[in-house]
PDB file of all heavy atoms in Angstrom:
ATOM      1  N   ARG I 268     -10.239 -12.977 -17.073  1.00 68.00           N
ATOM      2  CA  ARG I 268      -8.818 -12.776 -17.343  1.00 68.00           C
ATOM      3  C   ARG I 268      -8.288 -11.564 -16.565  1.00 68.00           C
ATOM      4  O   ARG I 268      -7.195 -11.612 -16.013  1.00 68.00           O
ATOM      5  CB  ARG I 268      -8.589 -12.573 -18.841  1.00 68.00           C
ATOM      6  CG  ARG I 268      -7.153 -12.229 -19.231  1.00 68.00           C
ATOM      7  CD  ARG I 268      -6.172 -13.262 -18.740  1.00 68.00           C
ATOM      8  NE  ARG I 268      -4.807 -12.944 -19.135  1.00 68.00           N
ATOM      9  CZ  ARG I 268      -3.722 -13.342 -18.472  1.00 68.00           C
ATOM     10  NH1 ARG I 268      -3.847 -14.072 -17.378  1.00 68.00           N
ATOM     11  NH2 ARG I 268      -2.524 -13.004 -18.890  1.00 68.00           N
ATOM     12  N   LEU I 269      -9.074 -10.503 -16.494  1.00 62.00           N
ATOM     13  CA  LEU I 269      -8.676  -9.351 -15.690  1.00 62.00           C
ATOM     14  C   LEU I 269      -8.532  -9.747 -14.224  1.00 62.00           C
ATOM     15  O   LEU I 269      -7.604  -9.322 -13.543  1.00 62.00           O
ATOM     16  CB  LEU I 269      -9.691  -8.217 -15.847  1.00 62.00           C
ATOM     17  CG  LEU I 269      -9.697  -7.508 -17.196  1.00 62.00           C
ATOM     18  CD1 LEU I 269     -10.921  -6.612 -17.311  1.00 62.00           C
ATOM     19  CD2 LEU I 269      -8.426  -6.710 -17.408  1.00 62.00           C
ATOM     20  N   ALA I 270      -9.466 -10.564 -13.755  1.00 62.00           N
ATOM     21  CA  ALA I 270      -9.386 -11.015 -12.366  1.00 62.00           C
ATOM     22  C   ALA I 270      -8.143 -11.873 -12.143  1.00 62.00           C
ATOM     23  O   ALA I 270      -7.510 -11.811 -11.091  1.00 62.00           O
ATOM     24  CB  ALA I 270     -10.641 -11.801 -12.001  1.00 62.00           C
ATOM     25  N   GLU I 271      -7.775 -12.698 -13.146  1.00 69.00           N
ATOM     26  CA  GLU I 271      -6.563 -13.516 -13.040  1.00 69.00           C
ATOM     27  C   GLU I 271      -5.324 -12.633 -12.932  1.00 69.00           C
ATOM     28  O   GLU I 271      -4.409 -12.925 -12.152  1.00 69.00           O
ATOM     29  CB  GLU I 271      -6.446 -14.440 -14.250  1.00 69.00           C
ATOM     30  CG  GLU I 271      -7.458 -15.570 -14.266  1.00 69.00           C
ATOM     31  CD  GLU I 271      -7.408 -16.349 -15.564  1.00 69.00           C
ATOM     32  OE1 GLU I 271      -6.550 -16.011 -16.417  1.00 69.00           O
ATOM     33  OE2 GLU I 271      -8.201 -17.277 -15.741  1.00 69.00           O
ATOM     34  N   LEU I 272      -5.288 -11.558 -13.705  1.00 65.00           N
ATOM     35  CA  LEU I 272      -4.154 -10.646 -13.633  1.00 65.00           C
ATOM     36  C   LEU I 272      -4.077  -9.996 -12.257  1.00 65.00           C
ATOM     37  O   LEU I 272      -2.996  -9.848 -11.675  1.00 65.00           O
ATOM     38  CB  LEU I 272      -4.256  -9.579 -14.727  1.00 65.00           C
ATOM     39  CG  LEU I 272      -4.075 -10.068 -16.162  1.00 65.00           C
ATOM     40  CD1 LEU I 272      -4.390  -8.950 -17.140  1.00 65.00           C
ATOM     41  CD2 LEU I 272      -2.659 -10.569 -16.380  1.00 65.00           C
ATOM     42  N   ALA I 273      -5.233  -9.612 -11.724  1.00 60.00           N
ATOM     43  CA  ALA I 273      -5.252  -9.023 -10.387  1.00 60.00           C
ATOM     44  C   ALA I 273      -4.792 -10.037  -9.344  1.00 60.00           C
ATOM     45  O   ALA I 273      -4.048  -9.699  -8.418  1.00 60.00           O
ATOM     46  CB  ALA I 273      -6.654  -8.525 -10.058  1.00 60.00           C
ATOM     47  N   GLN I 274      -5.224 -11.289  -9.501  1.00 63.00           N
ATOM     48  CA  GLN I 274      -4.824 -12.325  -8.550  1.00 63.00           C
ATOM     49  C   GLN I 274      -3.322 -12.585  -8.628  1.00 63.00           C
ATOM     50  O   GLN I 274      -2.658 -12.775  -7.607  1.00 63.00           O
ATOM     51  CB  GLN I 274      -5.598 -13.613  -8.825  1.00 63.00           C
ATOM     52  CG  GLN I 274      -5.327 -14.718  -7.808  1.00 63.00           C
ATOM     53  CD  GLN I 274      -6.151 -15.964  -8.076  1.00 63.00           C
ATOM     54  OE1 GLN I 274      -6.656 -16.162  -9.176  1.00 63.00           O
ATOM     55  NE2 GLN I 274      -6.289 -16.812  -7.082  1.00 63.00           N
ATOM     56  N   ALA I 275      -2.777 -12.576  -9.846  1.00 61.00           N
ATOM     57  CA  ALA I 275      -1.333 -12.757 -10.009  1.00 61.00           C
ATOM     58  C   ALA I 275      -0.570 -11.658  -9.303  1.00 61.00           C
ATOM     59  O   ALA I 275       0.471 -11.887  -8.688  1.00 61.00           O
ATOM     60  CB  ALA I 275      -0.974 -12.783 -11.500  1.00 61.00           C
ATOM     61  N   PHE I 276      -1.101 -10.457  -9.368  1.00 54.00           N
ATOM     62  CA  PHE I 276      -0.493  -9.325  -8.682  1.00 54.00           C
ATOM     63  C   PHE I 276      -0.449  -9.568  -7.173  1.00 54.00           C
ATOM     64  O   PHE I 276       0.576  -9.379  -6.519  1.00 54.00           O
ATOM     65  CB  PHE I 276      -1.277  -8.058  -9.004  1.00 54.00           C
ATOM     66  CG  PHE I 276      -0.991  -6.889  -8.093  1.00 54.00           C
ATOM     67  CD1 PHE I 276       0.150  -6.136  -8.253  1.00 54.00           C
ATOM     68  CD2 PHE I 276      -1.877  -6.555  -7.085  1.00 54.00           C
ATOM     69  CE1 PHE I 276       0.410  -5.063  -7.410  1.00 54.00           C
ATOM     70  CE2 PHE I 276      -1.633  -5.491  -6.256  1.00 54.00           C
ATOM     71  CZ  PHE I 276      -0.478  -4.739  -6.418  1.00 54.00           C
ATOM     72  N   GLU I 277      -1.581 -10.011  -6.616  1.00 55.00           N
ATOM     73  CA  GLU I 277      -1.647 -10.222  -5.172  1.00 55.00           C
ATOM     74  C   GLU I 277      -0.734 -11.369  -4.751  1.00 55.00           C
ATOM     75  O   GLU I 277      -0.054 -11.300  -3.727  1.00 55.00           O
ATOM     76  CB  GLU I 277      -3.093 -10.501  -4.751  1.00 55.00           C
ATOM     77  CG  GLU I 277      -4.012  -9.293  -4.938  1.00 55.00           C
ATOM     78  CD  GLU I 277      -5.441  -9.570  -4.514  1.00 55.00           C
ATOM     79  OE1 GLU I 277      -5.692 -10.688  -4.021  1.00 55.00           O
ATOM     80  OE2 GLU I 277      -6.288  -8.687  -4.663  1.00 55.00           O
ATOM     81  N   GLN I 278      -0.696 -12.462  -5.559  1.00 56.00           N
ATOM     82  CA  GLN I 278       0.149 -13.597  -5.218  1.00 56.00           C
ATOM     83  C   GLN I 278       1.624 -13.238  -5.293  1.00 56.00           C
ATOM     84  O   GLN I 278       2.450 -13.837  -4.606  1.00 56.00           O
ATOM     85  CB  GLN I 278      -0.159 -14.771  -6.153  1.00 56.00           C
ATOM     86  CG  GLN I 278      -1.530 -15.385  -5.917  1.00 56.00           C
ATOM     87  CD  GLN I 278      -1.865 -16.467  -6.914  1.00 56.00           C
ATOM     88  OE1 GLN I 278      -1.209 -16.601  -7.953  1.00 56.00           O
ATOM     89  NE2 GLN I 278      -2.885 -17.248  -6.619  1.00 56.00           N
ATOM     90  N   ALA I 279       1.971 -12.247  -6.124  1.00 50.00           N
ATOM     91  CA  ALA I 279       3.366 -11.824  -6.241  1.00 50.00           C
ATOM     92  C   ALA I 279       3.775 -10.895  -5.111  1.00 50.00           C
ATOM     93  O   ALA I 279       4.892 -10.411  -5.085  1.00 50.00           O
ATOM     94  CB  ALA I 279       3.589 -11.127  -7.577  1.00 50.00           C
ATOM     95  N   GLY I 280       2.861 -10.636  -4.187  1.00 46.00           N
ATOM     96  CA  GLY I 280       3.217  -9.812  -3.040  1.00 46.00           C
ATOM     97  C   GLY I 280       2.713  -8.399  -3.142  1.00 46.00           C
ATOM     98  O   GLY I 280       3.053  -7.557  -2.317  1.00 46.00           O
ATOM     99  N   GLY I 281       1.881  -8.117  -4.154  1.00 45.00           N
ATOM    100  CA  GLY I 281       1.379  -6.767  -4.297  1.00 45.00           C
ATOM    101  C   GLY I 281       0.350  -6.407  -3.239  1.00 45.00           C
ATOM    102  O   GLY I 281       0.221  -5.262  -2.863  1.00 45.00           O
ATOM    103  N   GLY I 282      -0.400  -7.429  -2.762  1.00 42.00           N
ATOM    104  CA  GLY I 282      -1.404  -7.156  -1.742  1.00 42.00           C
ATOM    105  C   GLY I 282      -2.582  -6.399  -2.319  1.00 42.00           C
ATOM    106  O   GLY I 282      -2.675  -6.137  -3.499  1.00 42.00           O
ATOM    107  N   ALA I 283      -3.500  -6.047  -1.461  1.00 39.00           N
ATOM    108  CA  ALA I 283      -4.667  -5.295  -1.901  1.00 39.00           C
ATOM    109  C   ALA I 283      -4.264  -3.871  -2.237  1.00 39.00           C
ATOM    110  O   ALA I 283      -3.430  -3.272  -1.580  1.00 39.00           O
ATOM    111  CB  ALA I 283      -5.734  -5.299  -0.814  1.00 39.00           C
TER     112      ALA I 283
END
Side-chain angles (χ1 to χ4, degrees):
R268 175 56 179 154
L269 289 169
E271 289 173 2
L272 292 172
Q274 185 178 19
F276 165 78
E277 293 180 3
Q278 291 175 345

